[in-house]
Amino acid sequence: MAKAGPRADRGTASRRALSAEVRAALVNGAIDALRETGFAGASAREIASRAGCSQALVFYHFGSVNDLLLAALDEVSARRMDAYRSALEQADSVSALAESARLIFRQDLDAGHVRVLVEMMTGAHSVPGLGEQVAQRLQPWRDLAYEAVRRTLGRSAAARLLPPAEAAHALVAGFLGLELLASLDGDRAAALAVFGRAGHLARLLDVLAAVRLPAASKEKK
Amino acid sequence: MAKAGPRADRGTASRRALSAEVRAALVNGAIDALRETGFAGASAREIASRAGCSQALVFYHFGSVNDLLLAALDEVSARRMDAYRSALEQADSVSALAESARLIFRQDLDAGHVRVLVEMMTGAHSVPGLGEQVAQRLQPWRDLAYEAVRRTLGRSAAARLLPPAEAAHALVAGFLGLELLASLDGDRAAALAVFGRAGHLARLLDVLAAVRLPAASKEKK
DNA sequence: GTCTATACTTGGATAGAC
DNA sequence: GTCTATCCAAGTATAGAC
C-alpha cells in the first residue's frame, strides 16, 4: 500500500505516516486557532501548541504561517465541498434549495467553517498578496452557489424576478454577514430565523418557478 | 466659550486646542489604518505615523490601542448616524427604504465606513472582552435598521410575509457580507446590483404593504 | 523530522527629559 | 502635552543538535 521510499529497510513507512500526522495536526491546529482566537491569534506558536509539536515544524512543513493558514482554508473547503454539492444537487425547487442552505449554514455555524473563511478574508487585509489567494479559494463556493441557484430557478419567471448571479452573490454574502453577527453576539437563533424566513419566501417563488416562460413569445425575433 | 482651566494666564486655550487636534488626528489615523491595513495592521506606531505624532501619545490620550480603536469606531458611528437617520426616516415605502439603503451602502462602501466596523468585529475575536464592546456599539445601527423596517412595513400584509426583526437582521447582515465580498475582490458592482435587485423586489412588497390587514378578522378572539 | 536554542523584528507600554 | 529612549513580550524564521 505505502509506496516504498529510499532506505525502506525499517520504519520508513511509519515515520512517513507520523510526519503526515504532524502535518494534519498542524492543519487542524490552524483551523482551531482561526476559529477560536481569530487570524491575529493564529500564530505559529499558538498553532504548534494546539498541534502538540514544536513551533519550528510550522516552517519546516509549510514554509510560513500564512501558507499553513491557506492550507487550513483548503482543508475546510475540501471537507465541506462534498456536503455542499450533494445537498444542493438534490434540491429541485427554490424552497428545497433554501432549506438545504439553512441546514448547511447551521452545520457550518456550529462547526465554525464559515468562521475560518471570514477570518481569512479579513486577516488577508493586513497581509499584502494574501487577499488574492483567499479570493481564489472562495471562487469554488461562489460557483457552487451560482450553479445551485441557476438550476433551481431555471428559465422560469422567477429567474426574471431574481437573476441567478445576483441571488448567488446575495446568498454568499448572507452566509458571511450572518456568521459575523452570530459570532459577535453568540446568537445563532437570529441567523437561523432569517434562513427560515427565506424558506417561506422561497415557497412563493416555487409557484413562479413552476411557470415556464413561453419561449420568448412576446419578444421580437 | 472655552472653560478657563488652571493657570489660564496665556496660551492654555490654544494649547488645549492643539491637544484636541492631536486626539482627532489619532482617531482619524486609527480609522484610516483600520480601513487600509486592517485590525492587525492598526498598531500604535502605524496610527501615530498617520497622525504625524509620537506613538507614546496613543497611550497618553487613550490608554491603550484598543481603546483608541473603539474611539475610532465611535467616531465613524457618530458621523454616519445622522446620515442614516435622516435618509431612513423619510422613506415612506418599502421600495423607498430599499433605495435609501442602497445609497447609504454605496457611500459607506466608498468611504470605508463598513470596512472599519467589519475589521473591529473580526479583530475583536482575538482580544478578550473586546467583542462585547463592539457589539454594544453595533446596537444603535441595528435599532435604526429595525425601526426603519418596522415603520415602512407597518402592520401590513407585508409584515406577515417579512417580520421586521428578521428583515432588519438580514439587512444588517447584508451590509456586512456584501462589504466583505466587495473588499476581497474589489468589485463593488456586484454588491450594488444586489441592492438594486432588492429595490425591484421591494416594489412588489409596496403593493402588499398598501393593503392594511383587516384588524385580525379571521383570528380567534 | 523533530527538537532546542537563538537571531531578529515588531508592537505595547512606560520613564523621564523638555 | 509631547517627545525620545527604553523595556519587555510575542512573533517569524533559521541553525544546528539529535
Side-chain angles (χ1 to χ4, degrees), chain A residues 36-213:
Chain A
E36 290 168 30
T37 70
F39 184 87
S43 67
R45 285 176 159 86
E46 172 68 28
I47 294 170
S49 153
R50 288 168 186 269
C53 71
S54 157
Q55 160 258 2
L57 290 184
V58 168
F59 304 95
Y60 176 80
H61 284 293
F62 296 92
S64 73
V65 176
N66 283 336
D67 287 346
L68 169 53
L69 294 178
L70 285 172
L73 182 53
D74 282 334
E75 174 64 22
V76 170
S77 269
R79 274 188 211 165
R80 297 305 291 156
M81 195 53 84
D82 286 345
Y84 271 63
R85 208 186 304 274
S86 72
L88 295 181
E89 268 174 6
Q90 67 191 50
D92 55 356
S93 68
V94 185
S95 63
L97 177 63
E99 176 63 9
S100 283
R102 191 180 72 85
L103 291 176
I104 286 177
F105 179 74
R106 194 174 61 189
Q107 286 174 8
D108 285 6
L109 187 60
D110 292 343
H113 297 127
V114 197
R115 179 81 246 162
V116 170
L117 178 57
V118 168
E119 288 297 335
M120 288 301 287
M121 287 179 76
T122 55
H125 207 236
S126 33
V127 182
L130 192 52
E132 288 78 0
Q133 295 184 275
V134 175
Q136 207 175 298
R137 284 160 173 83
L138 180 61
Q139 197 53 46
W141 298 42
R142 301 176 74 156
D143 292 343
L144 195 64
Y146 175 76
E147 252 328 288
V149 172
R150 191 199 55 73
R151 195 169 45 74
T152 55
L153 281 172
R155 273 187 71 255
S156 69
R160 292 231 168 149
L161 214 54
L162 199 57
E166 291 171 11
H169 194 79
L171 187 60
V172 174
F175 262 65
L176 300 173
L178 290 172
E179 157 68 36
L180 264 182
L181 284 175
S183 68
L184 185 67
D185 56 19
D187 174 25
R188 36 166 262 167
L192 293 176
V194 170
F195 268 97
R197 182 59 46 182
H200 285 112
L201 295 176
R203 257 168 246 139
L204 293 180
L205 282 178
D206 279 348
V207 179
L208 290 175
V211 181
R212 288 204 151 261
L213 283 184

Side-chain angles (χ1 to χ4, degrees), chain B:
Chain B
M1 202 60 179
K3 185 169 66 112
R7 295 203 337 275
D9 35 13
R10 50 123 227 287
T12 303
S14 69
R15 252 183 256 163
R16 193 169 290 178
L18 275 221
S19 173
E21 260 177 49
V22 167
R23 285 183 65 99
L26 282 171
V27 168
N28 284 326
I31 293 172
D32 292 346
L34 280 172
R35 197 171 47 212
E36 290 169 30
T37 70
F39 184 87
S43 67
R45 286 175 164 84
E46 171 68 28
I47 295 170
S49 153
R50 288 168 186 269
C53 71
S54 157
Q55 161 256 5
L57 289 184
V58 168
F59 303 95
Y60 176 80
H61 284 294
F62 296 92
S64 73
V65 176
N66 284 336
D67 287 346
L68 168 54
L69 294 178
L70 285 172
L73 183 53
D74 281 334
E75 174 65 22
V76 170
S77 270
R79 274 187 212 165
R80 297 305 292 154
M81 196 53 84
D82 286 345
Y84 272 63
R85 208 186 304 275
S86 72
L88 295 182
E89 268 174 4
Q90 67 192 50
D92 55 356
S93 69
V94 185
S95 63
L97 178 62
E99 176 62 11
S100 283
R102 191 179 71 85
L103 291 176
I104 287 177
F105 179 75
R106 194 175 61 189
Q107 286 175 9
D108 285 6
L109 187 60
D110 292 343
H113 298 127
V114 198
R115 180 80 244 162
V116 169
L117 178 58
V118 168
E119 288 296 336
M120 288 301 288
M121 288 178 75
T122 53
H125 206 238
S126 35
V127 182
L130 192 53
E132 287 79 359
Q133 296 184 274
V134 175
Q136 207 175 299
R137 284 159 172 84
L138 180 61
Q139 197 53 46
W141 298 41
R142 301 176 74 155
D143 292 343
L144 195 64
Y146 174 76
E147 251 328 289
V149 171
R150 192 199 55 73
R151 194 168 46 72
T152 55
L153 281 172
R155 273 187 71 256
S156 69
R160 292 234 167 147
L161 213 54
L162 199 57
E166 292 170 12
H169 194 79
L171 187 60
V172 174
F175 263 65
L176 301 174
L178 290 172
E179 157 67 36
L180 264 183
L181 284 175
S183 68
L184 185 67
D185 57 19
D187 173 25
R188 36 166 262 168
L192 293 176
V194 170
F195 268 97
R197 182 59 46 184
H200 285 111
L201 295 176
R203 257 168 247 141
L204 293 181
L205 282 179
D206 279 348
V207 179
L208 291 174
V211 181
R212 289 206 149 261
L213 282 183
S217 60
K218 279 270 169 61
E219 291 185 26
K220 204 177 171 185
K221 178 53 196 308

